[in-house]
Amino acid sequence: MMEKILTLLVGLLIALGGWSLSRTFELSTGQAVLQNKVEKLEMQITLMEGKMDEMFDMDEEIMDQHKKLFEKLEQGSTGYNYN
């Protein structure tokens, strides 16, 4: 009777060990997938920030061009009459 109980306990321990190992593997795989997604998102954010900086620079350049244009128009040195 004692041998049956010991066999049952050993079987139970082996089953729990197997379950624990498979769960650990599943969690580590999930973590690796999530880390990969986070790295991709970080790269996209970096690229987007670079594009935003370029757009801000272009906006500043356009505003400067408009400012210069309006200054010229106010001076009336273009030879054109917009009134």
Side-chain angles (χ1 to χ4, degrees):
M1 180 71 174
M2 187 61 110
E3 289 179 17
K4 289 182 181 181
I5 292 175
L6 286 176
T7 305
L8 181 65
L9 287 175
V10 168
L12 184 62
L13 285 174
I14 291 173
L16 285 174
W19 175 82
S20 176
L21 185 61
S22 71
R23 184 71 178 138
T24 301
F25 179 75
E26 180 183 337
L27 289 173
S28 67
T29 303
Q31 181 181 7
V33 169
L34 292 175
Q35 284 177 337
N36 188 24
K37 288 181 180 180
V38 167
E39 289 173 4
K40 286 181 181 179
L41 287 172
E42 287 174 343
M43 180 61 72
Q44 287 178 345
I45 288 171
T46 302
L47 293 173
M48 190 176 291
E49 285 175 343
K51 288 180 182 180
M52 286 177 59
D53 289 341
E54 289 177 19
M55 289 175 65
F56 284 133
D57 292 342
M58 290 173 58
D59 285 347
E60 286 182 21
E61 185 178 333
I62 291 170
M63 287 190 295
D64 287 341
Q65 289 176 357
H66 283 118
K67 183 179 176 183
K68 289 177 184 177
L69 174 66
F70 288 125
E71 287 174 357
K72 288 285 187 182
L73 290 174
E74 287 175 357
Q75 292 174 359
S77 63
T78 62
Y80 295 103
N81 187 0
Y82 293 99
N83 293 330

Coordinates of all heavy atoms in Angstrom, one line a residue:
M1 N 0.8 -1.2 0.0 CA 0.0 0.0 0.0 C 0.9 1.3 0.0 O 0.6 2.2 -0.7 CB -0.9 0.0 1.2 CG -1.8 1.1 1.4 SD -3.1 1.0 0.1 CE -4.1 2.3 0.6
M2 N 2.0 1.2 0.8 CA 2.9 2.3 0.9 C 3.5 2.6 -0.5 O 3.7 3.7 -0.9 CB 3.9 2.1 2.0 CG 4.8 3.3 2.2 SD 3.8 4.7 2.8 CE 4.3 4.8 4.5
E3 N 3.9 1.5 -1.2 CA 4.5 1.7 -2.5 C 3.5 2.4 -3.5 O 4.0 3.2 -4.3 CB 4.9 0.3 -3.1 CG 6.1 -0.3 -2.3 CD 6.4 -1.7 -2.9 OE1 6.0 -2.0 -4.0 OE2 7.1 -2.4 -2.2
K4 N 2.3 2.1 -3.4 CA 1.3 2.7 -4.3 C 1.2 4.2 -4.0 O 1.1 5.0 -5.0 CB -0.1 2.0 -4.2 CG -0.1 0.6 -4.7 CD -1.5 0.1 -4.6 CE -1.6 -1.4 -5.2 NZ -2.9 -1.9 -5.1
I5 N 1.2 4.5 -2.8 CA 1.1 6.0 -2.4 C 2.4 6.7 -2.9 O 2.3 7.8 -3.4 CB 0.9 6.1 -0.9 CG1 -0.5 5.6 -0.5 CG2 1.1 7.6 -0.4 CD1 -0.7 5.6 1.0
L6 N 3.5 6.1 -2.7 CA 4.8 6.7 -3.1 C 4.8 6.8 -4.6 O 5.2 7.9 -5.2 CB 6.0 5.9 -2.6 CG 6.3 6.0 -1.1 CD1 7.5 5.1 -0.8 CD2 6.7 7.5 -0.8
T7 N 4.3 5.8 -5.3 CA 4.3 5.9 -6.8 C 3.3 7.0 -7.2 O 3.6 7.7 -8.2 CB 3.8 4.5 -7.3 OG1 4.7 3.5 -6.9 CG2 3.8 4.5 -8.8
L8 N 2.2 7.1 -6.6 CA 1.3 8.1 -6.9 C 1.9 9.5 -6.6 O 1.7 10.4 -7.5 CB 0.0 8.0 -6.1 CG -1.1 9.0 -6.3 CD1 -1.7 8.8 -7.7 CD2 -2.2 8.8 -5.3
L9 N 2.5 9.7 -5.5 CA 3.2 11.0 -5.2 C 4.3 11.3 -6.2 O 4.4 12.5 -6.6 CB 3.7 11.0 -3.8 CG 2.7 11.0 -2.6 CD1 3.4 10.9 -1.3 CD2 1.9 12.3 -2.7
V10 N 5.1 10.3 -6.6 CA 6.2 10.6 -7.5 C 5.5 10.9 -8.9 O 6.0 11.9 -9.6 CB 7.1 9.3 -7.7 CG1 8.0 9.5 -8.9 CG2 7.9 9.1 -6.4
G11 N 4.5 10.2 -9.3 CA 3.8 10.6 -10.5 C 3.2 12.0 -10.5 O 3.3 12.7 -11.5
L12 N 2.7 12.3 -9.4 CA 2.1 13.7 -9.2 C 3.2 14.7 -9.3 O 3.0 15.8 -9.9 CB 1.3 13.8 -7.9 CG 0.6 15.1 -7.6 CD1 -0.5 15.3 -8.6 CD2 0.0 15.0 -6.2
L13 N 4.3 14.5 -8.6 CA 5.4 15.4 -8.7 C 6.0 15.6 -10.1 O 6.3 16.7 -10.6 CB 6.6 15.0 -7.8 CG 6.3 15.2 -6.3 CD1 7.4 14.6 -5.4 CD2 6.2 16.7 -6.0
I14 N 6.1 14.5 -10.8 CA 6.5 14.5 -12.2 C 5.6 15.3 -13.1 O 6.0 16.1 -13.9 CB 6.8 13.1 -12.8 CG1 8.0 12.5 -12.1 CG2 7.0 13.1 -14.3 CD1 8.2 11.0 -12.4
A15 N 4.3 15.1 -12.9 CA 3.3 15.8 -13.7 C 3.3 17.3 -13.4 O 3.2 18.1 -14.3 CB 1.9 15.2 -13.4
L16 N 3.4 17.7 -12.1 CA 3.5 19.1 -11.7 C 4.8 19.7 -12.3 O 4.8 20.9 -12.7 CB 3.5 19.2 -10.2 CG 2.1 19.1 -9.6 CD1 2.2 19.1 -8.0 CD2 1.1 20.1 -10.0
G17 N 5.9 19.0 -12.3 CA 7.1 19.5 -12.8 C 7.0 19.7 -14.3 O 7.5 20.7 -14.9
G18 N 6.4 18.8 -15.0 CA 6.1 18.9 -16.4 C 5.3 20.1 -16.8 O 5.5 20.9 -17.7
W19 N 4.2 20.3 -16.0 CA 3.3 21.4 -16.2 C 4.0 22.7 -15.9 O 3.9 23.7 -16.7 CB 2.1 21.3 -15.2 CG 1.2 22.5 -15.3 CD1 0.2 22.8 -16.2 CD2 1.2 23.6 -14.4 NE1 -0.3 24.0 -16.0 CE2 0.2 24.5 -14.9 CE3 2.0 23.9 -13.3 CZ2 0.0 25.7 -14.2 CZ3 1.7 25.1 -12.6 CH2 0.7 26.0 -13.1
S20 N 4.8 22.7 -14.9 CA 5.6 24.0 -14.5 C 6.6 24.3 -15.6 O 6.7 25.5 -16.0 CB 6.3 23.8 -13.2 OG 7.1 24.9 -12.9
L21 N 7.2 23.3 -16.2 CA 8.2 23.5 -17.2 C 7.5 24.0 -18.5 O 8.0 25.0 -19.1 CB 9.0 22.2 -17.5 CG 10.1 22.3 -18.6 CD1 11.2 23.3 -18.1 CD2 10.7 20.9 -18.8
S22 N 6.4 23.4 -18.9 CA 5.7 23.9 -20.1 C 5.1 25.3 -19.9 O 5.1 26.1 -20.8 CB 4.6 22.9 -20.4 OG 3.5 23.0 -19.5
R23 N 4.7 25.6 -18.7 CA 4.1 27.0 -18.4 C 5.3 28.0 -18.5 O 5.1 29.1 -19.0 CB 3.5 27.0 -17.0 CG 2.8 28.3 -16.7 CD 1.6 28.5 -17.5 NE 1.0 29.8 -17.0 CZ 0.5 30.7 -17.8 NH1 0.4 30.4 -19.1 NH2 0.0 31.8 -17.3
T24 N 6.4 27.6 -17.9 CA 7.6 28.5 -18.0 C 8.0 28.8 -19.4 O 8.3 29.9 -19.8 CB 8.8 27.9 -17.2 OG1 8.4 27.7 -15.8 CG2 10.0 28.8 -17.2
F25 N 8.0 27.7 -20.2 CA 8.4 27.9 -21.6 C 7.4 28.8 -22.4 O 7.7 29.7 -23.2 CB 8.5 26.5 -22.3 CG 8.8 26.6 -23.8 CD1 10.1 26.9 -24.2 CD2 7.8 26.4 -24.7 CE1 10.4 27.0 -25.5 CE2 8.1 26.5 -26.1 CZ 9.4 26.8 -26.5
E26 N 6.1 28.6 -22.1 CA 5.0 29.4 -22.7 C 5.2 30.9 -22.3 O 5.1 31.7 -23.2 CB 3.7 28.9 -22.3 CG 2.5 29.6 -22.8 CD 1.2 29.1 -22.3 OE1 1.1 27.9 -21.8 OE2 0.2 29.9 -22.3
L27 N 5.5 31.1 -21.1 CA 5.6 32.5 -20.6 C 6.9 33.2 -21.2 O 6.8 34.3 -21.6 CB 5.7 32.6 -19.1 CG 4.4 32.3 -18.3 CD1 4.7 32.2 -16.8 CD2 3.4 33.3 -18.6
S28 N 8.0 32.4 -21.3 CA 9.2 33.0 -21.9 C 9.0 33.3 -23.4 O 9.5 34.3 -23.9 CB 10.4 32.1 -21.6 OG 10.3 30.9 -22.4
T29 N 8.3 32.4 -24.1 CA 8.0 32.6 -25.5 C 7.1 33.9 -25.7 O 7.4 34.7 -26.5 CB 7.3 31.4 -26.1 OG1 8.1 30.3 -25.9 CG2 7.0 31.6 -27.6
G30 N 6.1 34.0 -24.8 CA 5.2 35.2 -24.9 C 6.0 36.4 -24.6 O 5.8 37.5 -25.2
Q31 N 6.9 36.4 -23.6 CA 7.7 37.5 -23.3 C 8.6 37.9 -24.4 O 8.7 39.1 -24.8 CB 8.6 37.3 -22.0 CG 9.4 38.4 -21.6 CD 10.3 38.1 -20.4 OE1 10.3 37.0 -20.0 NE2 10.9 39.1 -19.9
A32 N 9.2 37.0 -25.1 CA 10.1 37.3 -26.3 C 9.2 37.9 -27.4 O 9.7 38.9 -28.0 CB 10.7 36.0 -26.8
V33 N 8.0 37.4 -27.6 CA 7.2 38.0 -28.7 C 6.8 39.5 -28.3 O 6.9 40.4 -29.1 CB 5.9 37.2 -28.9 CG1 4.9 37.9 -29.7 CG2 6.3 35.8 -29.5
L34 N 6.5 39.7 -27.1 CA 6.1 41.0 -26.6 C 7.3 42.0 -26.7 O 7.2 43.2 -27.1 CB 5.5 41.0 -25.2 CG 4.1 40.3 -25.1 CD1 3.7 40.2 -23.6 CD2 3.1 41.1 -25.9
Q35 N 8.5 41.5 -26.3 CA 9.7 42.4 -26.4 C 10.0 42.7 -27.8 O 10.3 43.9 -28.1 CB 10.9 41.6 -25.8 CG 10.9 41.6 -24.3 CD 12.1 40.8 -23.7 OE1 12.7 40.0 -24.4 NE2 12.4 41.1 -22.5
N36 N 9.8 41.8 -28.8 CA 9.9 42.1 -30.2 C 9.0 43.2 -30.6 O 9.3 44.1 -31.4 CB 9.8 40.9 -31.0 CG 10.1 41.0 -32.5 OD1 10.9 41.9 -32.8 ND2 9.6 40.2 -33.3
K37 N 7.7 43.1 -30.2 CA 6.7 44.1 -30.6 C 7.1 45.5 -30.0 O 6.9 46.5 -30.7 CB 5.3 43.7 -30.1 CG 4.7 42.5 -30.9 CD 3.4 42.1 -30.4 CE 2.8 41.0 -31.2 NZ 1.4 40.6 -30.7
V38 N 7.6 45.5 -28.7 CA 7.9 46.7 -28.1 C 9.1 47.4 -28.9 O 9.1 48.6 -29.1 CB 8.3 46.5 -26.6 CG1 9.0 47.7 -26.0 CG2 7.1 46.2 -25.8
E39 N 10.1 46.6 -29.3 CA 11.2 47.1 -30.1 C 10.7 47.7 -31.4 O 11.2 48.8 -31.8 CB 12.2 46.0 -30.3 CG 13.0 45.6 -29.1 CD 13.9 44.4 -29.3 OE1 14.0 43.9 -30.5 OE2 14.5 43.9 -28.4
K40 N 9.8 47.0 -32.1 CA 9.3 47.6 -33.3 C 8.5 48.9 -33.1 O 8.7 49.8 -33.9 CB 8.3 46.6 -34.0 CG 9.0 45.4 -34.6 CD 8.0 44.4 -35.2 CE 8.7 43.2 -35.8 NZ 7.8 42.3 -36.5
L41 N 7.7 49.0 -32.0 CA 7.0 50.2 -31.7 C 8.0 51.3 -31.4 O 7.8 52.5 -31.8 CB 6.1 50.0 -30.5 CG 4.8 49.2 -30.8 CD1 4.1 48.9 -29.5 CD2 3.9 49.9 -31.8
E42 N 9.1 51.0 -30.6 CA 10.1 52.0 -30.3 C 10.7 52.5 -31.6 O 11.0 53.7 -31.7 CB 11.1 51.5 -29.3 CG 10.6 51.3 -27.9 CD 11.6 50.6 -27.0 OE1 12.6 50.0 -27.5 OE2 11.4 50.7 -25.8
M43 N 11.0 51.6 -32.5 CA 11.6 52.1 -33.8 C 10.7 52.9 -34.6 O 11.1 54.0 -35.1 CB 12.0 50.8 -34.6 CG 12.6 51.2 -35.9 SD 14.2 52.1 -35.8 CE 15.3 50.8 -35.2
Q44 N 9.4 52.6 -34.6 CA 8.4 53.4 -35.3 C 8.3 54.8 -34.7 O 8.2 55.8 -35.4 CB 7.0 52.7 -35.3 CG 7.0 51.5 -36.2 CD 5.6 50.8 -36.2 OE1 4.8 51.1 -35.3 NE2 5.4 50.0 -37.1
I45 N 8.3 54.8 -33.4 CA 8.3 56.1 -32.7 C 9.5 57.0 -33.0 O 9.3 58.2 -33.2 CB 8.1 55.9 -31.1 CG1 6.7 55.4 -30.8 CG2 8.4 57.2 -30.4 CD1 6.6 54.9 -29.4
T46 N 10.6 56.4 -33.0 CA 11.9 57.1 -33.4 C 11.8 57.7 -34.8 O 12.1 58.8 -35.0 CB 13.1 56.2 -33.2 OG1 13.2 55.7 -31.9 CG2 14.4 56.9 -33.5
L47 N 11.3 56.9 -35.7 CA 11.2 57.3 -37.1 C 10.1 58.4 -37.2 O 10.3 59.4 -37.9 CB 10.8 56.2 -38.0 CG 11.8 55.1 -38.2 CD1 11.2 53.9 -39.0 CD2 13.0 55.6 -38.9
M48 N 9.0 58.3 -36.4 CA 8.0 59.3 -36.5 C 8.5 60.6 -35.9 O 8.2 61.7 -36.4 CB 6.7 58.8 -35.7 CG 5.5 59.7 -35.9 SD 4.1 59.0 -35.1 CE 3.8 57.6 -36.2
E49 N 9.3 60.5 -34.8 CA 9.8 61.8 -34.2 C 10.7 62.5 -35.2 O 10.7 63.7 -35.3 CB 10.6 61.4 -32.9 CG 9.7 61.1 -31.8 CD 10.4 60.7 -30.5 OE1 11.6 60.3 -30.6 OE2 9.8 60.7 -29.4
G50 N 11.5 61.7 -35.9 CA 12.4 62.3 -37.0 C 11.6 63.0 -38.0 O 11.9 64.1 -38.5
K51 N 10.5 62.3 -38.5 CA 9.6 62.9 -39.5 C 9.0 64.2 -39.0 O 8.8 65.2 -39.7 CB 8.6 61.9 -40.0 CG 9.2 60.8 -40.8 CD 8.1 59.9 -41.3 CE 8.7 58.7 -42.1 NZ 7.6 57.8 -42.6
M52 N 8.5 64.2 -37.7 CA 7.9 65.3 -37.1 C 8.9 66.5 -37.0 O 8.5 67.6 -37.3 CB 7.4 65.0 -35.7 CG 6.1 64.2 -35.7 SD 5.5 63.7 -34.1 CE 5.2 65.3 -33.4
D53 N 10.1 66.2 -36.7 CA 11.2 67.3 -36.6 C 11.3 67.9 -38.0 O 11.5 69.1 -38.1 CB 12.5 66.7 -36.1 CG 12.4 66.4 -34.6 OD1 11.5 66.9 -33.9 OD2 13.3 65.6 -34.2
E54 N 11.4 67.0 -39.0 CA 11.5 67.5 -40.4 C 10.3 68.4 -40.8 O 10.5 69.5 -41.4 CB 11.6 66.4 -41.4 CG 12.9 65.6 -41.4 CD 12.9 64.4 -42.3 OE1 12.1 64.4 -43.2 OE2 13.7 63.5 -42.1
M55 N 9.1 68.0 -40.4 CA 7.9 68.8 -40.7 C 7.9 70.1 -40.0 O 7.6 71.1 -40.5 CB 6.7 68.0 -40.3 CG 6.4 66.8 -41.3 SD 5.0 65.8 -40.7 CE 3.7 66.9 -40.9
F56 N 8.4 70.1 -38.7 CA 8.5 71.4 -38.0 C 9.5 72.3 -38.6 O 9.2 73.5 -38.8 CB 8.9 71.2 -36.5 CG 7.7 70.6 -35.7 CD1 7.9 69.6 -34.8 CD2 6.5 71.2 -35.7 CE1 6.9 69.1 -34.0 CE2 5.4 70.8 -34.9 CZ 5.7 69.7 -34.1
D57 N 10.6 71.8 -39.1 CA 11.6 72.6 -39.8 C 11.0 73.2 -41.1 O 11.2 74.3 -41.4 CB 12.8 71.8 -40.1 CG 13.6 71.4 -38.8 OD1 13.4 72.1 -37.8 OD2 14.5 70.5 -38.9
M58 N 10.3 72.3 -41.8 CA 9.7 72.8 -43.1 C 8.6 73.9 -42.8 O 8.5 74.9 -43.5 CB 9.0 71.6 -43.8 CG 10.0 70.7 -44.4 SD 9.3 69.2 -45.1 CE 8.2 69.8 -46.3
D59 N 7.8 73.7 -41.7 CA 6.8 74.7 -41.3 C 7.5 76.0 -41.0 O 7.0 77.1 -41.4 CB 6.0 74.2 -40.1 CG 5.0 73.2 -40.5 OD1 4.7 73.0 -41.7 OD2 4.4 72.5 -39.5
E60 N 8.6 76.0 -40.3 CA 9.3 77.2 -39.9 C 9.9 77.9 -41.2 O 9.8 79.1 -41.3 CB 10.5 76.9 -39.0 CG 10.1 76.6 -37.5 CD 11.3 76.3 -36.6 OE1 12.4 76.8 -37.0 OE2 11.1 75.7 -35.6
E61 N 10.4 77.1 -42.1 CA 10.9 77.7 -43.3 C 9.7 78.3 -44.1 O 9.9 79.4 -44.7 CB 11.5 76.6 -44.2 CG 12.2 77.1 -45.4 CD 12.8 75.9 -46.2 OE1 13.2 74.9 -45.6 OE2 12.9 76.1 -47.4
I62 N 8.6 77.7 -44.2 CA 7.4 78.2 -44.9 C 7.0 79.5 -44.2 O 6.6 80.5 -44.9 CB 6.3 77.2 -45.0 CG1 6.7 76.1 -45.9 CG2 5.0 77.8 -45.4 CD1 5.8 74.9 -45.9
M63 N 6.9 79.5 -42.9 CA 6.5 80.7 -42.2 C 7.5 81.9 -42.5 O 7.1 83.0 -42.6 CB 6.4 80.5 -40.7 CG 5.2 79.6 -40.4 SD 4.8 79.5 -38.6 CE 6.2 78.6 -38.0
D64 N 8.8 81.6 -42.5 CA 9.8 82.6 -42.8 C 9.6 83.1 -44.2 O 9.7 84.3 -44.5 CB 11.2 82.0 -42.6 CG 11.6 81.9 -41.2 OD1 11.0 82.5 -40.3 OD2 12.6 81.1 -41.0
Q65 N 9.3 82.2 -45.2 CA 9.1 82.7 -46.5 C 7.8 83.6 -46.6 O 7.9 84.6 -47.3 CB 8.9 81.5 -47.4 CG 10.2 80.7 -47.7 CD 9.9 79.4 -48.5 OE1 8.8 79.1 -48.9 NE2 11.0 78.7 -48.8
H66 N 6.8 83.2 -45.9 CA 5.6 84.1 -45.9 C 5.9 85.4 -45.3 O 5.4 86.5 -45.7 CB 4.4 83.4 -45.2 CG 3.8 82.3 -46.0 ND1 3.8 81.0 -45.6 CD2 3.1 82.3 -47.2 CE1 3.1 80.3 -46.5 NE2 2.7 81.1 -47.5
K67 N 6.6 85.4 -44.2 CA 7.0 86.6 -43.5 C 7.7 87.6 -44.5 O 7.4 88.7 -44.6 CB 7.8 86.3 -42.3 CG 8.1 87.5 -41.4 CD 8.9 87.2 -40.2 CE 9.3 88.4 -39.4 NZ 10.2 88.0 -38.3
K68 N 8.7 87.0 -45.2 CA 9.5 87.8 -46.1 C 8.6 88.3 -47.2 O 8.8 89.4 -47.7 CB 10.6 87.0 -46.7 CG 11.7 86.7 -45.6 CD 12.8 85.8 -46.2 CE 13.9 85.5 -45.2 NZ 14.9 84.6 -45.7
L69 N 7.7 87.5 -47.7 CA 6.8 87.9 -48.8 C 5.9 89.0 -48.4 O 5.8 90.0 -49.1 CB 5.9 86.7 -49.2 CG 4.8 87.0 -50.3 CD1 5.5 87.4 -51.6 CD2 3.9 85.8 -50.4
F70 N 5.3 88.9 -47.2 CA 4.5 90.0 -46.7 C 5.3 91.3 -46.5 O 4.8 92.4 -46.7 CB 3.7 89.6 -45.5 CG 2.6 88.6 -45.7 CD1 2.6 87.4 -45.1 CD2 1.6 88.9 -46.7 CE1 1.6 86.5 -45.3 CE2 0.6 87.9 -47.0 CZ 0.6 86.7 -46.3
E71 N 6.5 91.1 -46.0 CA 7.4 92.3 -45.8 C 7.6 93.0 -47.2 O 7.5 94.2 -47.3 CB 8.7 92.0 -45.2 CG 8.6 91.6 -43.7 CD 9.9 91.1 -43.1 OE1 10.9 91.0 -43.9 OE2 9.9 90.9 -41.9
K72 N 7.9 92.2 -48.2 CA 8.1 92.8 -49.5 C 6.8 93.4 -50.0 O 6.9 94.5 -50.7 CB 8.5 91.7 -50.5 CG 9.9 91.2 -50.3 CD 10.9 92.2 -50.8 CE 12.3 91.6 -50.8 NZ 13.3 92.6 -51.3
L73 N 5.7 92.8 -49.8 CA 4.4 93.3 -50.3 C 4.1 94.7 -49.6 O 3.6 95.6 -50.2 CB 3.3 92.4 -50.1 CG 3.3 91.1 -51.0 CD1 2.2 90.2 -50.5 CD2 3.1 91.5 -52.4
E74 N 4.5 94.7 -48.3 CA 4.2 96.0 -47.5 C 5.2 97.1 -48.0 O 4.8 98.2 -48.0 CB 4.4 95.7 -46.0 CG 3.3 94.9 -45.4 CD 3.6 94.6 -43.9 OE1 4.7 94.9 -43.4 OE2 2.7 94.0 -43.3
Q75 N 6.3 96.7 -48.4 CA 7.3 97.7 -48.9 C 6.9 98.2 -50.3 O 7.2 99.3 -50.7 CB 8.7 97.1 -49.0 CG 9.3 96.8 -47.7 CD 10.7 96.1 -47.8 OE1 11.1 95.8 -48.9 NE2 11.3 95.8 -46.7
G76 N 6.2 97.4 -51.0 CA 5.7 97.8 -52.4 C 6.8 97.7 -53.4 O 6.7 98.4 -54.4
S77 N 7.9 97.0 -53.1 CA 9.0 96.9 -54.0 C 8.9 95.9 -55.1 O 9.8 95.7 -55.9 CB 10.3 96.7 -53.2 OG 10.2 95.5 -52.6
T78 N 7.8 95.2 -55.2 CA 7.7 94.1 -56.1 C 7.2 94.6 -57.5 O 7.4 93.9 -58.5 CB 6.7 93.0 -55.7 OG1 5.4 93.6 -55.5 CG2 7.1 92.4 -54.3
G79 N 6.7 95.8 -57.6 CA 6.2 96.3 -58.8 C 4.7 95.9 -59.1 O 4.2 96.3 -60.1
Y80 N 4.2 95.1 -58.3 CA 2.8 94.6 -58.5 C 1.9 95.3 -57.5 O 2.3 95.6 -56.4 CB 2.7 93.1 -58.2 CG 3.4 92.3 -59.2 CD1 4.7 91.7 -58.9 CD2 2.9 92.1 -60.5 CE1 5.3 90.9 -59.9 CE2 3.6 91.3 -61.5 CZ 4.8 90.8 -61.1 OH 5.5 90.0 -62.1
N81 N 0.7 95.5 -57.9 CA -0.3 96.1 -57.0 C -1.4 95.1 -56.7 O -2.1 94.7 -57.6 CB -0.9 97.4 -57.7 CG -1.8 98.1 -56.7 OD1 -2.0 97.7 -55.6 ND2 -2.3 99.2 -57.2
Y82 N -1.5 94.7 -55.5 CA -2.5 93.7 -55.1 C -3.8 94.2 -54.6 O -4.6 93.5 -54.1 CB -1.9 92.7 -54.0 CG -0.7 91.9 -54.6 CD1 0.6 92.2 -54.4 CD2 -1.0 90.8 -55.4 CE1 1.6 91.5 -54.9 CE2 0.0 90.0 -55.9 CZ 1.3 90.4 -55.7 OH 2.3 89.6 -56.2
N83 N -3.9 95.5 -54.6 CA -5.1 96.2 -54.1 C -6.2 96.3 -55.1 O -6.1 96.5 -56.2 CB -4.8 97.6 -53.5 CG -4.0 97.4 -52.2 OD1 -4.1 96.4 -51.5 ND2 -3.2 98.4 -52.0

